Amino acid sequence: MSKRTSTAIVPAAASSLTLAVPAVGNLDAYISAVNRLPMLTAERESELARNFRERQDLDAARELVLSHLRLVVSVARQYLGYGLPHADLIQEGNIGLMKAVKRFDPERGVRLVSFALHWIKAEIHEYILKNWRMVKVATTKAQRKLFFNLRSMKTGSGTLSAGEVDAIARELNVREKDVVEMETRLSGKDLALEAQTDDGEEQYSPGAWLAAPQADPTQVIEARQRDRLQGEGLARALEALDPRSRRIIETRWLRDEAEGGTLTLHELAAEFGVSAERIRQIEAKALQKMKGQLASYV
C-alpha cells in the first residue's frame, strides 16, 4: 500500500478473508475513513467471532477486521522512527490483524483488541527486519529484542552512559557489549554495514518476538519444563554421581570463565593420577547415568 494507491487490502497468504476498503485518495483520507468505522460492543464481537469460527461467515470476519483498522493505524504510528513508509507499516499491520481474527476464540474471555495487538506488532516487526538494512545484522533473538526496545529505554538523545548501559543490560537480560554495539548500529543507520542481499534471508515466525511470551501456552509449558530440567533435574543428577565423577562433569561442562574455565582431560588426569583415557571413560559413564536421571524431567 503506497501513499497514493488504493487502500484495498487482500493479502491471500494471510487468511481466506476478502477485505475490501473503499479506495480513497491518500493515506490521510484512509486514516480518516477507518477512524469513522464503528467500534463493536463485546456482545457483537463475540457473536461475529462465533459466526466466523463455526460457520466460516466471511461477512462476520470482515466486520471484525474493519472495526479494528484504527488499532493498526495507532500501532503502526509507533514505528515511524525506523524510516519506513507509514502506509506500508499499516498494510503489514493489517495482515497481522487478519491473522488474529482467523485465530481469535471468543470463548477465552479476551477481547479481540488485546489478542490482535501482538499479531499486528509481529507482522510490523517482520517487515522492519526484512527491509531496514541496518537490522539485517540483528540475527539473534537478543539482538532483535535490543533493536525494538533500546530507543524507548534511552533517557536522552546522547550516547548511553556506563550506568545506563548496565541498567538496560540487566533489564533485557543481555550483555553490556551487546547494548553498546546495538546503540552504535542504530545511531549510524544511514551507513550500510554489510552487503548482504535478500537471497537466503532468514525467515522469522511471530512467536519469535512476541511482546508477551506468557500469552502462548506452548511457550509457557516449554519454559517450565526447561527451568525444571536445568534446576532441580540437573542438581539431582549430579547428586547421584560419586565425588570423582561429579568433579569431572562440573569442571568439564558446567564451569564458566569466571570460575576458571573448563578443564581438559589431561588436566583432570594429572589431578586424579590416572590416564586421560580413563577420565574420558568416567566422563562418558557419568553422562550416561545423568541422562537416565534427567529422563523423568523431559
Side-chain angles (χ1 to χ4, degrees), residues 234-294:
L234 182 58
R236 291 195 175 184
L238 287 171
E239 289 174 0
L241 301 178
D242 61 82
R244 183 172 63 172
S245 297
R246 183 163 60 250
R247 166 71 176 168
I248 291 172
I249 294 299
E250 289 176 341
T251 54
R252 288 276 291 155
W253 297 94
L254 302 179
R255 292 209 315 187
D256 55 30
E257 293 300 327
E259 297 172 312
T262 58
L263 299 183
T264 66
L265 292 174
H266 291 284
E267 288 172 330
L268 287 166
E271 177 180 332
F272 290 106
V274 296
S275 67
E277 175 60 22
R278 178 56 180 156
I279 294 296
R280 187 195 65 77
Q281 292 172 357
I282 295 173
E283 177 187 42
K285 185 176 180 179
L287 288 174
Q288 187 64 31
K289 186 174 183 179
M290 290 180 66
K291 182 178 179 181
Q293 290 285 334
L294 292 171

Side-chain angles (χ1 to χ4, degrees), residues 59-198:
D59 287 335
R62 179 177 182 275
E63 187 172 345
L64 287 170
V65 171
L66 287 172
S67 63
H68 288 80
L69 290 178
R70 68 182 69 197
L71 172 64
V72 176
V73 172
S74 177
V75 173
R77 189 176 292 117
Q78 301 171 18
Y79 295 91
L80 291 177
Y82 296 106
L84 296 170
H86 192 192
D88 291 347
L89 293 171
I90 290 174
Q91 174 155 295
E92 296 302 318
N94 285 346
I95 294 174
L97 172 60
M98 283 184 270
K99 288 182 178 180
V101 168
K102 185 177 181 180
R103 294 163 173 80
F104 180 58
D105 183 358
E107 306 305 329
R108 293 184 178 273
V110 178
R111 292 297 300 270
L112 178 57
V113 64
S114 300
F115 179 77
L117 192 59
H118 83 260
W119 285 98
I120 294 169
K121 288 184 176 181
E123 288 298 321
I124 293 176
H125 286 184
E126 185 174 8
Y127 170 73
I128 294 173
L129 287 169
K130 286 181 177 178
N131 290 275
W132 204 52
R133 63 185 179 185
M134 278 297 305
V135 187
K136 290 181 181 178
V137 296
T139 56
T140 69
K141 185 175 182 179
Q143 288 173 328
R144 295 194 295 272
K145 185 177 182 180
L146 267 173
F147 174 71
F148 286 112
N149 287 277
L150 186 56
R151 285 184 173 179
S152 62
M153 296 180 70
K154 290 183 66 173
T155 57
S157 57
T159 303
L160 290 172
S161 66
E164 290 174 323
V165 170
D166 178 68
I168 292 174
R170 288 177 179 273
E171 183 169 345
L172 296 180
N173 194 28
V174 296
R175 297 176 300 180
E176 292 183 13
K177 73 174 186 178
D178 291 334
V179 176
V180 174
E181 183 181 359
M182 185 57 69
E183 184 193 20
T184 302
R185 292 173 179 175
L186 291 175
S187 63
K189 66 181 182 180
D190 289 331
L191 299 177
L193 297 184
E194 59 176 359
Q196 182 178 350
T197 65
D198 289 337

Side-chain angles (χ1 to χ4, degrees), residues 186-225:
L186 291 175
S187 63
K189 66 181 182 180
D190 289 331
L191 299 177
L193 297 184
E194 59 176 359
Q196 182 178 350
T197 65
D198 289 337
D199 293 336
E201 184 77 48
E202 187 173 1
Q203 299 295 317
Y204 301 106
S205 67
W209 49 74
L210 291 176
Q214 64 272 18
D216 187 335
T218 302
Q219 291 190 15
V220 171
I221 294 173
E222 290 178 351
R224 287 176 180 172
Q225 289 179 334

